[in-house]
Each structure stands twice: as structure tokens, then as C-alpha cells.
Amino acid sequence: DIDDIIILMSSSSHLNVDQCLIYQSDYSGIVLFSDSSCEVIDSEIHHTKAPAIQTSRSALICKNSFFHDVDQNCINLNNSNNTQFINNRFRHIKASGISVSFRSKGIISQNHFEDIHGNSVFVSEESKATLVKNTVTNSIFPAFAILQRCSVQISYNKLTHISKSGICIRGAIRAVLDYNELENISDCGVSISDSVNCVLMHNSIKDCQTAAVEVYNNSKVTIHDNQF
């Protein structure tokens, strides 16, 4: 029951959060800025009214942790390199699960997203992200949204019961999608516009209400050896 930030770090500090329970904040659980770094391992953060974790010009590693019941984006990355999210669970998030923005770089692997009211992963503003072996179910918006001159590798993910398109790509400069499984998608499996250097290989896309893949607005896409 903290009225403000529970943990605040700045000025090149480093923090290890191990086996901790952080909850009931009227703002964020953890805020990092000014070249700080933090590792969150085997911990739980929930019921925050602002993002559970926010970073600016800092490094963040989250492993084997549980994030839930967050009123905004769960994780906000701004101009942050060396960020990793491995084997975490995200549930009941009222906006996006992980937002990779403003020239950030992130590796997002083996996470489970469920009941996300925004995008499970949102990548924007010239950021780079690698999304591998994640599972997403019951998402109201596209599971993965890639925007504004971003570059992504999306591989071996499983997306089911998505209320919009499974993967939405808008204005990307590079997007490689391979070995993903998409099923029960209420719109298009993959929707691409205004993007270049996009490759879809070895994906399985089933039970989409509009189309498996849509491409428009001067996009450049290669589609090879997929199952639709």
C-alpha cells in the first residue's frame, strides 16, 4: 500500500530483486533511469496503477517472474538497451504487456501472456526486438504490434484466441516471422502495411476470420513455405 514508486533507481545504480513480492502501488513497482540496471528474478509484481516496471536509458532483466493486475502497460522500456524477459507470466494487464519504445532493444523469450487488453508485445519508435517461443492467449488487440521503423525477429511463438489480427506490422524496416503458430484469430493472422524487408517462412496460420495474411500500402514481403 504505497502511494508512489516502491523502488526508484538512478545514477548508474544496480539492483537485484530476487524472490520478492511487490504490490499495491498507486504508481509503479520499479522505476529505473540514468544508466541504472536491475535484475528481477523469481518475483511477483501486481496491482500497480502505473507500469509495474519503467525504464529510461537503463538495463533490465526479468526471469521466472509473475506480473499481473496492472492498470497500464506492464513493462515500459524507453531508450533502453540490454533488456531481457525470459520465462515470465503476464496476466490481467489493462494495456500492453511489454512496450519496447524509443530506440530500445529487447529479447523476449518463453513468456506466457494471458488476458492482455492491449498488445502482448508493442514495439515502436525505431526499436529492435527478438520474440521467441512465447505463448499468447485471449488478447483483445493484436498479440504483437510492430510500428515506426522497427526491426524484429519473431520465431516459434504460439498465438491463439486473438480478438484482432495476430501480428500487426506497420512501418517496419525489417520483420522476419518464422515457425510461428497462429490459430483462432478474429481478423487477419498477419497484417502488414507500409513495411519493407518482411519475410514469412514456415509459419502455420489457421482459423482466421478475414485472411491468413494481408499486405498493402507499398509493402515488400516474401512468403515462403507456410501452411495457411
Side-chain angles (χ1 to χ4, degrees):
D1 292 320
I2 304 297
D3 292 335
D4 207 327
I5 301 166
I6 294 178
I7 299 174
L8 174 64
M9 296 180 56
S10 66
S11 304
S12 303
S13 300
H14 179 75
L15 174 70
N16 288 323
V17 177
D18 187 11
Q19 300 184 45
C20 291
L21 176 61
I22 298 172
Y23 66 102
Q24 295 287 46
S25 170
D26 284 343
Y27 193 63
S28 291
I30 300 173
V31 175
L32 315 172
F33 61 95
S34 299
D35 301 310
S36 294
S37 61
C38 178
E39 295 184 19
V40 178
I41 299 175
D42 293 316
S43 295
E44 182 176 351
I45 302 178
H46 65 91
H47 287 93
T48 64
K49 293 185 178 179
I53 302 177
Q54 299 192 61
T55 74
S56 178
R57 304 191 316 278
S58 296
L60 173 65
I61 297 175
C62 296
K63 294 182 179 179
N64 308 321
S65 294
F66 184 25
F67 303 91
H68 62 96
D69 295 285
V70 176
D71 286 351
Q72 298 182 24
N73 293 341
C74 186
I75 309 290
N76 259 1
L77 307 177
N78 294 323
N79 196 21
S80 294
N81 296 319
N82 190 25
T83 65
Q84 300 179 35
F85 303 88
I86 300 173
N87 195 37
N88 303 288
R89 290 182 294 152
F90 297 83
R91 184 182 299 166
H92 305 317
I93 308 300
K94 292 186 178 178
S96 293
I98 301 174
S99 174
V100 185
S101 300
F102 299 106
R103 299 184 178 91
S104 294
K105 296 180 182 178
I107 296 173
I108 301 167
S109 177
Q110 302 174 58
N111 301 281
H112 179 71
F113 300 86
E114 183 177 2
D115 188 28
I116 308 298
H117 291 196
N119 309 114
S120 292
V121 180
F122 176 84
V123 186
S124 68
E125 287 109 358
E126 301 182 23
S127 296
K128 297 180 180 180
T130 300
L131 286 62
V132 180
K133 295 183 179 179
N134 302 286
T135 61
V136 179
T137 185
N138 295 327
S139 181
I140 293 177
F141 286 90
F144 303 149
I146 315 302
L147 312 175
Q148 298 166 320
R149 300 187 60 77
C150 290
S151 176
V152 294
Q153 175 81 41
I154 301 175
S155 305
Y156 295 98
N157 300 281
K158 295 184 178 180
L159 315 179
T160 61
H161 297 95
I162 311 300
S163 297
K164 300 290 185 181
S165 295
I167 300 173
C168 179
I169 299 173
R170 301 285 184 266
I173 59 172
R174 177 182 177 272
V176 177
L177 285 62
D178 59 354
Y179 297 100
N180 300 288
E181 298 179 17
L182 288 74
E183 189 169 1
N184 289 317
I185 311 298
S186 295
D187 198 344
C188 298
V190 179
S191 175
I192 303 173
S193 77
D194 306 284
S195 300
V196 296
N197 301 315
C198 298
V199 179
L200 280 69
M201 300 185 298
H202 316 305
N203 301 287
S204 173
I205 303 177
K206 302 177 180 177
D207 297 327
C208 302
Q209 293 188 13
T210 303
V213 179
E214 70 169 355
V215 179
Y216 61 100
N217 281 3
N218 299 310
S219 295
K220 294 178 172 61
V221 180
T222 298
I223 299 176
H224 173 72
D225 193 23
N226 299 275
Q227 295 184 17
F228 299 145

